[in-house]
Amino acid sequence: MYEEVLSDVDESVLADLCARLTLEEKVLLLTGRDSWSTHPLPSIGLRSMVLSDGPAGVRGATWDERSPSVNFPSPSALAASWDRTVVRAVGEQLGREAARKGVDVVLAPTINIQRSPYGGRHFEAFSEDPLVTSELAAAYVAGIQSQAVGATAKHYVANDSETDRFTVDVQVDERSLREVYLRAFEGPVIDGGAWLVMSAYNSVNGARATENELLRSPLEDDWGFDGVVVSDWTAVRSLQSAQFPQDLVMPGPSGPWGDALVRAVRAGEIDERIVDRKVIRMLRLAGRVGAIDGVAASPITEVSTDARATARVAATAGSVLLRNEAILPLAAPASIALVGEGMRHPRTQGGGSATVIPAEVVTPLGAVTARFPDSTTTWSLGAVVGTGLSDLPLDSFHAPDGTPGMQVVYLNQHGEILASETRRASEVVSFEAESLALRSAVIELRLAYRPEDQHPTEFPFGVAGLCDFEVFVDGALAHQGRLRTGPGDDPAAAVLHPPSTSFLLPRAGEEVAITVRLRPVEGGIPDALSFRVGLPPRDDDPDALIAQAVSAAAAAEIAVVMVSTSPEVESEGFDRTTLALPGRQDDLVHAVAAANPHTIVIVNAGSPVLMPWVDDVAAVLAMWFPGQEVGAALADMLSGDAEPGGRLAVTWPADEQSVPVSNVTPDDGRLAYTEGIHVGYRAWLRTDATPAFEFGFGLGYGQWALTDANAPERASAGSDVDLSVTLANTGSRMTKAVVQVYVERVETSSIDRPERWLAAFKATGIPAAESRHLRITVPARAFATWTADGWVTEPGEYRLVIGTSVAKELQSIPIRLG
Ligand code: BGC
């Protein structure tokens, strides 16, 4: 489907280039030069290639607010669009962002399955369903690569939760691997033609993912992958891994290959042809991205739209309207009470390595107020969401010379100043071994700060980072401490979630001069560090916050409450311990809904949350982590300028007890996928429990009807089945239909199967009063199961079920496969 993005770098050129390299040069190319780039080899005109994280934007080689990135919706939001065109457009923009930032390879998309809602990194993954993941990830990859930038399908494979992610051994049977976890990679690798695959940290059935036969089969043997297998950062831990189709060790420059690999080849322990094979793949990648002199890069597709507009459209396309008691879109309300921390500080993305720094976030408060100029709007906090330090508001601090932000002074062990810079942020993050931050013995953060807190003699403040520190206020030592990670912490925690502390500092006036002197200490992953000054969570009386929101809501015609998860709940390196919203947000929604029957709740979370108040409110709109255009997208949907186009690509449970797959904690180092192929809605279909909202569900603002479903009565096993339907827009506005085709086995069978499973889907817009005839192909694979003999289709009676969710059937067609 997306073949046009494959470049045809001349293979004989690659072989010639490889032949011109010494063994040392070849081996050099196979380990990174540093955290984010590969070694150049000038002797063959090869420049260094830069790799940078996605998937919600492309950060670039530095983590720095001076080099901002467009922040797109996270993949759980993109997947909810069920729309290949929207996802492809986001991919194209990511490719352009990468090109703008000098990035050759985007370390995305994440193809892992949302096996359990407790997975901490689910916002980075697409869906609980392998087909949705596979198809949308293929479009995402094709979009990126249409800009001559490599995409990386990660993390291969079964890296579906975070607890003990560096060491866990996932036990999963062959059939489930093929039908669920590997199946998800087929789209991005085969159809999308991904130029890279990232091998995961975990082991699969006893062998590390970087030293696993799965790198050979199915990746290469069955799928024909001809790209580079890059390791997850530090996932390669042995020389032995070089014997496998593991091509690039990241980060560098040290690592288990290097000189050891040169010696092993010289000693005849490792065949040089194995090294050459990796080198050719690296050169093929370099050719595709245009990193070799004289080798033309893959062609670039012109893109006409702009990144922010694409991000905004994608945010509405993936927003799922879960409930609407005839209140949305809003009809010119006289007054709106906006409630929630997210209204001012929405979570546009999840935490961890995927983080990007947008130049601007369109806040819901600002955008909704502007979109309803004739309505009176108020805002109240309602509840405190986060438990960690938050950024100092940019308008509350400045460097000693008056520039907004803080002065960062880098010193050596003798106290001599190495350099100084002004940052428009209250944090410094670095993954570059050569950065000033990593070369300094002491770092001083100097700022003048105006505390919001009105207390006359003291104010709250906090410091984060792996360090010893001292805080001086107006020149006098006011606080000191040491911050260390805990014994069980993820090794990346020192950077991604550095230890923090908060305390009260003295004040004499409106503004205080603060110097924080930090001494970094060893720990965590190499060549990475992060420091931050910030504010601890507000300690207002929670009941008083709720009461204020309630009185604002009671006085308004409409109340819109935004509830969110926090960076302490959804991020990298740990899993969720509860699906409940953090803090007192459930109490807040209950109270606001009791005070105002026109209460609309906006859910700002990357994965499912419990909503015990769902039946008491007038509407619920799940916006996920919608990217930097969050406010504009919300205003578009509240006003009716845009329709929420999303359908759930993950089941939303009503309570924790009924979640069928909930275990993400390894036992004795092993995590057994005992549920087999019954993941997500397939698992729910086997229980008596009913989720709050089922897979595939989502309302829009329009109505449509489906008629004339047609498919052949018989088909030969192993062939695709073409289906046609007519969709009629029966409402008065343009609307989006997502046609979902599920398969059921009718005859009894010896094969353990889900009750029904998704086989095909298509999203389409239908103008008011018009009809559309759709052809949908159900691929042969949808009927096949993995057996000891490979993919096999059992003949017999099946049913094609066409519906609007896994539980809502519109029509069904019997079909006999023979
Ligand atoms: C993450 C990857 C990421 C890499 C580089 C790892 O910890 O698991 O997803 O691409 O870091 O930041």
mmCIF file of all heavy atoms in Angstrom, residues 642-676:
data_model
loop_
_atom_site.group_PDB
_atom_site.id
_atom_site.type_symbol
_atom_site.label_atom_id
_atom_site.label_comp_id
_atom_site.label_asym_id
_atom_site.label_seq_id
_atom_site.Cartn_x
_atom_site.Cartn_y
_atom_site.Cartn_z
ATOM 1 N N ALA A 642 -16.021 21.521 14.826
ATOM 2 C CA ALA A 642 -15.504 20.196 14.448
ATOM 3 C C ALA A 642 -16.251 19.150 15.259
ATOM 4 O O ALA A 642 -16.719 19.408 16.374
ATOM 5 C CB ALA A 642 -14.011 20.100 14.717
ATOM 6 N N GLU A 643 -16.338 17.965 14.657
ATOM 7 C CA GLU A 643 -17.013 16.846 15.328
ATOM 8 C C GLU A 643 -15.946 15.987 16.017
ATOM 9 O O GLU A 643 -14.889 15.749 15.413
ATOM 10 C CB GLU A 643 -17.699 16.012 14.243
ATOM 11 C CG GLU A 643 -18.409 14.786 14.741
ATOM 12 C CD GLU A 643 -18.966 13.930 13.593
ATOM 13 O OE1 GLU A 643 -18.285 13.803 12.542
ATOM 14 O OE2 GLU A 643 -20.055 13.404 13.746
ATOM 15 N N PRO A 644 -16.195 15.515 17.235
ATOM 16 C CA PRO A 644 -15.238 14.553 17.804
ATOM 17 C C PRO A 644 -15.288 13.284 16.950
ATOM 18 O O PRO A 644 -16.326 12.630 16.886
ATOM 19 C CB PRO A 644 -15.767 14.294 19.216
ATOM 20 C CG PRO A 644 -16.866 15.301 19.456
ATOM 21 C CD PRO A 644 -17.360 15.752 18.115
ATOM 22 N N GLY A 645 -14.192 12.952 16.312
ATOM 23 C CA GLY A 645 -14.227 11.866 15.323
ATOM 24 C C GLY A 645 -13.764 10.530 15.848
ATOM 25 O O GLY A 645 -13.641 9.581 15.071
ATOM 26 N N GLY A 646 -13.492 10.428 17.163
ATOM 27 C CA GLY A 646 -12.816 9.239 17.660
ATOM 28 C C GLY A 646 -13.735 8.081 18.018
ATOM 29 O O GLY A 646 -14.928 8.239 18.274
ATOM 30 N N ARG A 647 -13.151 6.898 18.012
ATOM 31 C CA ARG A 647 -13.773 5.665 18.494
ATOM 32 C C ARG A 647 -12.709 4.987 19.355
ATOM 33 O O ARG A 647 -11.515 5.047 19.028
ATOM 34 C CB ARG A 647 -14.129 4.726 17.322
ATOM 35 C CG ARG A 647 -14.953 5.365 16.211
ATOM 36 C CD ARG A 647 -16.379 5.692 16.650
ATOM 37 N NE ARG A 647 -17.198 6.168 15.536
ATOM 38 C CZ ARG A 647 -17.383 7.454 15.215
ATOM 39 N NH1 ARG A 647 -16.801 8.409 15.896
ATOM 40 N NH2 ARG A 647 -18.155 7.775 14.192
ATOM 41 N N LEU A 648 -13.120 4.330 20.420
ATOM 42 C CA LEU A 648 -12.133 3.751 21.335
ATOM 43 C C LEU A 648 -11.315 2.645 20.660
ATOM 44 O O LEU A 648 -11.893 1.718 20.096
ATOM 45 C CB LEU A 648 -12.818 3.182 22.571
ATOM 46 C CG LEU A 648 -13.474 4.194 23.510
ATOM 47 C CD1 LEU A 648 -14.121 3.454 24.683
ATOM 48 C CD2 LEU A 648 -12.469 5.230 24.012
ATOM 49 N N ALA A 649 -10.001 2.781 20.750
ATOM 50 C CA ALA A 649 -9.137 1.702 20.274
ATOM 51 C C ALA A 649 -8.621 0.888 21.454
ATOM 52 O O ALA A 649 -7.710 0.081 21.320
ATOM 53 C CB ALA A 649 -7.975 2.286 19.469
ATOM 54 N N VAL A 650 -9.217 1.145 22.614
ATOM 55 C CA VAL A 650 -8.899 0.406 23.832
ATOM 56 C C VAL A 650 -10.163 0.409 24.686
ATOM 57 O O VAL A 650 -10.894 1.393 24.717
ATOM 58 C CB VAL A 650 -7.703 1.057 24.581
ATOM 59 C CG1 VAL A 650 -7.965 2.511 24.937
ATOM 60 C CG2 VAL A 650 -7.317 0.290 25.832
ATOM 61 N N THR A 651 -10.432 -0.710 25.351
ATOM 62 C CA THR A 651 -11.639 -0.825 26.182
ATOM 63 C C THR A 651 -11.497 0.021 27.452
ATOM 64 O O THR A 651 -10.431 0.014 28.073
ATOM 65 C CB THR A 651 -11.833 -2.300 26.598
ATOM 66 O OG1 THR A 651 -11.761 -3.112 25.424
ATOM 67 C CG2 THR A 651 -13.151 -2.515 27.301
ATOM 68 N N TRP A 652 -12.553 0.716 27.822
ATOM 69 C CA TRP A 652 -12.526 1.501 29.080
ATOM 70 C C TRP A 652 -13.307 0.748 30.152
ATOM 71 O O TRP A 652 -14.534 0.618 30.062
ATOM 72 C CB TRP A 652 -13.116 2.912 28.866
ATOM 73 C CG TRP A 652 -12.090 3.849 28.296
ATOM 74 C CD1 TRP A 652 -11.211 3.570 27.304
ATOM 75 C CD2 TRP A 652 -11.824 5.209 28.684
ATOM 76 N NE1 TRP A 652 -10.421 4.664 27.032
ATOM 77 C CE2 TRP A 652 -10.787 5.680 27.873
ATOM 78 C CE3 TRP A 652 -12.376 6.068 29.636
ATOM 79 C CZ2 TRP A 652 -10.270 6.973 27.982
ATOM 80 C CZ3 TRP A 652 -11.868 7.357 29.748
ATOM 81 C CH2 TRP A 652 -10.826 7.802 28.931
ATOM 82 N N PRO A 653 -12.604 0.253 31.183
ATOM 83 C CA PRO A 653 -13.284 -0.506 32.232
ATOM 84 C C PRO A 653 -14.128 0.388 33.133
ATOM 85 O O PRO A 653 -13.868 1.586 33.258
ATOM 86 C CB PRO A 653 -12.129 -1.119 33.026
ATOM 87 C CG PRO A 653 -10.925 -0.341 32.673
ATOM 88 C CD PRO A 653 -11.163 0.376 31.386
ATOM 89 N N ALA A 654 -15.120 -0.223 33.789
ATOM 90 C CA ALA A 654 -15.961 0.531 34.731
ATOM 91 C C ALA A 654 -15.368 0.467 36.138
ATOM 92 O O ALA A 654 -15.618 1.341 36.952
ATOM 93 C CB ALA A 654 -17.372 -0.042 34.736
ATOM 94 N N ASP A 655 -14.610 -0.584 36.413
ATOM 95 C CA ASP A 655 -13.991 -0.709 37.738
ATOM 96 C C ASP A 655 -12.736 -1.559 37.597
ATOM 97 O O ASP A 655 -12.515 -2.185 36.565
ATOM 98 C CB ASP A 655 -14.967 -1.372 38.729
ATOM 99 C CG ASP A 655 -15.471 -2.691 38.179
ATOM 100 O OD1 ASP A 655 -14.655 -3.617 38.025
ATOM 101 O OD2 ASP A 655 -16.673 -2.797 37.872
ATOM 102 N N GLU A 656 -11.930 -1.566 38.638
ATOM 103 C CA GLU A 656 -10.656 -2.278 38.539
ATOM 104 C C GLU A 656 -10.827 -3.794 38.616
ATOM 105 O O GLU A 656 -10.091 -4.533 37.971
ATOM 106 C CB GLU A 656 -9.694 -1.829 39.654
ATOM 107 C CG GLU A 656 -9.614 -0.318 39.774
ATOM 108 C CD GLU A 656 -8.222 0.255 39.899
ATOM 109 O OE1 GLU A 656 -7.241 -0.442 39.611
ATOM 110 O OE2 GLU A 656 -8.125 1.436 40.277
ATOM 111 N N GLN A 657 -11.852 -4.237 39.386
ATOM 112 C CA GLN A 657 -11.994 -5.680 39.619
ATOM 113 C C GLN A 657 -12.265 -6.437 38.324
ATOM 114 O O GLN A 657 -11.856 -7.577 38.157
ATOM 115 C CB GLN A 657 -13.146 -5.989 40.592
ATOM 116 C CG GLN A 657 -13.001 -5.423 41.983
ATOM 117 C CD GLN A 657 -13.109 -3.901 42.005
ATOM 118 O OE1 GLN A 657 -13.957 -3.320 41.327
ATOM 119 N NE2 GLN A 657 -12.226 -3.246 42.734
ATOM 120 N N SER A 658 -12.971 -5.823 37.398
ATOM 121 C CA SER A 658 -13.355 -6.586 36.211
ATOM 122 C C SER A 658 -12.332 -6.518 35.076
ATOM 123 O O SER A 658 -12.539 -7.132 34.036
ATOM 124 C CB SER A 658 -14.733 -6.128 35.721
ATOM 125 O OG SER A 658 -14.749 -4.753 35.532
ATOM 126 N N VAL A 659 -11.234 -5.790 35.256
ATOM 127 C CA VAL A 659 -10.228 -5.724 34.183
ATOM 128 C C VAL A 659 -9.651 -7.120 33.968
ATOM 129 O O VAL A 659 -9.071 -7.698 34.882
ATOM 130 C CB VAL A 659 -9.089 -4.747 34.557
ATOM 131 C CG1 VAL A 659 -7.979 -4.800 33.526
ATOM 132 C CG2 VAL A 659 -9.634 -3.338 34.696
ATOM 133 N N PRO A 660 -9.823 -7.706 32.786
ATOM 134 C CA PRO A 660 -9.434 -9.112 32.639
ATOM 135 C C PRO A 660 -7.921 -9.345 32.629
ATOM 136 O O PRO A 660 -7.463 -10.375 33.109
ATOM 137 C CB PRO A 660 -10.055 -9.536 31.301
ATOM 138 C CG PRO A 660 -10.484 -8.293 30.611
ATOM 139 C CD PRO A 660 -10.524 -7.186 31.608
ATOM 140 N N VAL A 661 -7.156 -8.419 32.050
ATOM 141 C CA VAL A 661 -5.702 -8.602 32.057
ATOM 142 C C VAL A 661 -5.122 -7.442 32.857
ATOM 143 O O VAL A 661 -5.062 -6.312 32.374
ATOM 144 C CB VAL A 661 -5.116 -8.613 30.634
ATOM 145 C CG1 VAL A 661 -3.604 -8.833 30.683
ATOM 146 C CG2 VAL A 661 -5.785 -9.691 29.784
ATOM 147 N N SER A 662 -4.748 -7.751 34.101
ATOM 148 C CA SER A 662 -4.305 -6.639 34.941
ATOM 149 C C SER A 662 -2.880 -6.813 35.452
ATOM 150 O O SER A 662 -2.282 -5.866 35.937
ATOM 151 C CB SER A 662 -5.267 -6.458 36.118
ATOM 152 O OG SER A 662 -5.371 -7.666 36.823
ATOM 153 N N ASN A 663 -2.317 -8.002 35.299
ATOM 154 C CA ASN A 663 -0.996 -8.203 35.897
ATOM 155 C C ASN A 663 0.136 -7.708 35.005
ATOM 156 O O ASN A 663 0.337 -8.192 33.885
ATOM 157 C CB ASN A 663 -0.777 -9.688 36.211
ATOM 158 C CG ASN A 663 0.566 -9.888 36.901
ATOM 159 O OD1 ASN A 663 1.051 -8.980 37.575
ATOM 160 N ND2 ASN A 663 1.168 -11.039 36.709
ATOM 161 N N VAL A 664 0.888 -6.736 35.530
ATOM 162 C CA VAL A 664 2.071 -6.252 34.804
ATOM 163 C C VAL A 664 3.318 -6.417 35.671
ATOM 164 O O VAL A 664 4.378 -5.906 35.336
ATOM 165 C CB VAL A 664 1.896 -4.768 34.393
ATOM 166 C CG1 VAL A 664 0.848 -4.626 33.309
ATOM 167 C CG2 VAL A 664 1.542 -3.880 35.587
ATOM 168 N N THR A 665 3.179 -7.164 36.774
ATOM 169 C CA THR A 665 4.308 -7.306 37.699
ATOM 170 C C THR A 665 4.937 -8.681 37.555
ATOM 171 O O THR A 665 4.278 -9.706 37.782
ATOM 172 C CB THR A 665 3.817 -7.128 39.157
ATOM 173 O OG1 THR A 665 3.087 -5.911 39.209
ATOM 174 C CG2 THR A 665 4.975 -7.075 40.127
ATOM 175 N N PRO A 666 6.212 -8.724 37.164
ATOM 176 C CA PRO A 666 6.854 -10.024 36.987
ATOM 177 C C PRO A 666 6.930 -10.790 38.300
ATOM 178 O O PRO A 666 7.015 -10.199 39.376
ATOM 179 C CB PRO A 666 8.268 -9.658 36.510
ATOM 180 C CG PRO A 666 8.198 -8.234 36.085
ATOM 181 C CD PRO A 666 7.087 -7.593 36.847
ATOM 182 N N ASP A 667 6.896 -12.104 38.170
ATOM 183 C CA ASP A 667 7.045 -12.978 39.313
ATOM 184 C C ASP A 667 8.366 -13.705 39.117
ATOM 185 O O ASP A 667 8.535 -14.387 38.099
ATOM 186 C CB ASP A 667 5.853 -13.961 39.330
ATOM 187 C CG ASP A 667 5.923 -14.903 40.504
ATOM 188 O OD1 ASP A 667 6.721 -14.634 41.427
ATOM 189 O OD2 ASP A 667 5.188 -15.903 40.491
ATOM 190 N N ASP A 668 9.286 -13.481 40.050
ATOM 191 C CA ASP A 668 10.603 -14.102 39.941
ATOM 192 C C ASP A 668 11.241 -13.771 38.568
ATOM 193 O O ASP A 668 11.810 -14.640 37.893
ATOM 194 C CB ASP A 668 10.463 -15.620 40.114
ATOM 195 C CG ASP A 668 11.803 -16.269 40.435
ATOM 196 O OD1 ASP A 668 12.722 -15.534 40.850
ATOM 197 O OD2 ASP A 668 11.923 -17.496 40.241
ATOM 198 N N GLY A 669 11.083 -12.535 38.153
ATOM 199 C CA GLY A 669 11.712 -12.076 36.900
ATOM 200 C C GLY A 669 10.927 -12.393 35.654
ATOM 201 O O GLY A 669 11.302 -11.976 34.556
ATOM 202 N N ARG A 670 9.830 -13.131 35.778
ATOM 203 C CA ARG A 670 9.063 -13.521 34.585
ATOM 204 C C ARG A 670 7.671 -12.925 34.611
ATOM 205 O O ARG A 670 7.016 -12.896 35.653
ATOM 206 C CB ARG A 670 8.913 -15.038 34.526
ATOM 207 C CG ARG A 670 10.229 -15.741 34.401
ATOM 208 C CD ARG A 670 10.025 -17.158 33.852
ATOM 209 N NE ARG A 670 11.304 -17.820 33.812
ATOM 210 C CZ ARG A 670 11.802 -18.523 34.815
ATOM 211 N NH1 ARG A 670 11.105 -18.693 35.921
ATOM 212 N NH2 ARG A 670 12.981 -19.077 34.720
ATOM 213 N N LEU A 671 7.242 -12.502 33.449
ATOM 214 C CA LEU A 671 5.865 -12.018 33.316
ATOM 215 C C LEU A 671 5.177 -12.922 32.304
ATOM 216 O O LEU A 671 5.535 -12.938 31.119
ATOM 217 C CB LEU A 671 5.863 -10.561 32.828
ATOM 218 C CG LEU A 671 4.487 -9.921 32.677
ATOM 219 C CD1 LEU A 671 3.752 -9.856 34.019
ATOM 220 C CD2 LEU A 671 4.616 -8.508 32.097
ATOM 221 N N ALA A 672 4.221 -13.709 32.803
ATOM 222 C CA ALA A 672 3.568 -14.698 31.929
ATOM 223 C C ALA A 672 2.303 -14.102 31.322
ATOM 224 O O ALA A 672 1.436 -13.620 32.052
ATOM 225 C CB ALA A 672 3.247 -15.946 32.737
ATOM 226 N N TYR A 673 2.222 -14.157 30.014
ATOM 227 C CA TYR A 673 1.019 -13.696 29.317
ATOM 228 C C TYR A 673 0.025 -14.867 29.285
ATOM 229 O O TYR A 673 -0.250 -15.456 28.245
ATOM 230 C CB TYR A 673 1.358 -13.245 27.898
ATOM 231 C CG TYR A 673 2.086 -11.908 27.773
ATOM 232 C CD1 TYR A 673 2.634 -11.266 28.874
ATOM 233 C CD2 TYR A 673 2.214 -11.279 26.533
ATOM 234 C CE1 TYR A 673 3.297 -10.046 28.744
ATOM 235 C CE2 TYR A 673 2.860 -10.057 26.391
ATOM 236 C CZ TYR A 673 3.403 -9.451 27.508
ATOM 237 O OH TYR A 673 4.054 -8.245 27.369
ATOM 238 N N THR A 674 -0.521 -15.172 30.461
ATOM 239 C CA THR A 674 -1.354 -16.370 30.577
ATOM 240 C C THR A 674 -2.670 -16.254 29.802
ATOM 241 O O THR A 674 -3.310 -17.251 29.512
ATOM 242 C CB THR A 674 -1.696 -16.639 32.055
ATOM 243 O OG1 THR A 674 -2.147 -15.400 32.613
ATOM 244 C CG2 THR A 674 -0.486 -17.112 32.829
ATOM 245 N N GLU A 675 -3.053 -15.038 29.474
ATOM 246 C CA GLU A 675 -4.310 -14.843 28.744
ATOM 247 C C GLU A 675 -4.185 -15.251 27.282
ATOM 248 O O GLU A 675 -5.189 -15.296 26.558
ATOM 249 C CB GLU A 675 -4.763 -13.386 28.845
ATOM 250 C CG GLU A 675 -3.875 -12.369 28.121
ATOM 251 C CD GLU A 675 -2.569 -12.052 28.842
ATOM 252 O OE1 GLU A 675 -2.396 -12.482 29.992
ATOM 253 O OE2 GLU A 675 -1.699 -11.389 28.243
ATOM 254 N N GLY A 676 -2.966 -15.536 26.819
ATOM 255 C CA GLY A 676 -2.778 -15.961 25.427
ATOM 256 C C GLY A 676 -3.224 -14.903 24.440
ATOM 257 O O GLY A 676 -2.851 -13.741 24.555
#
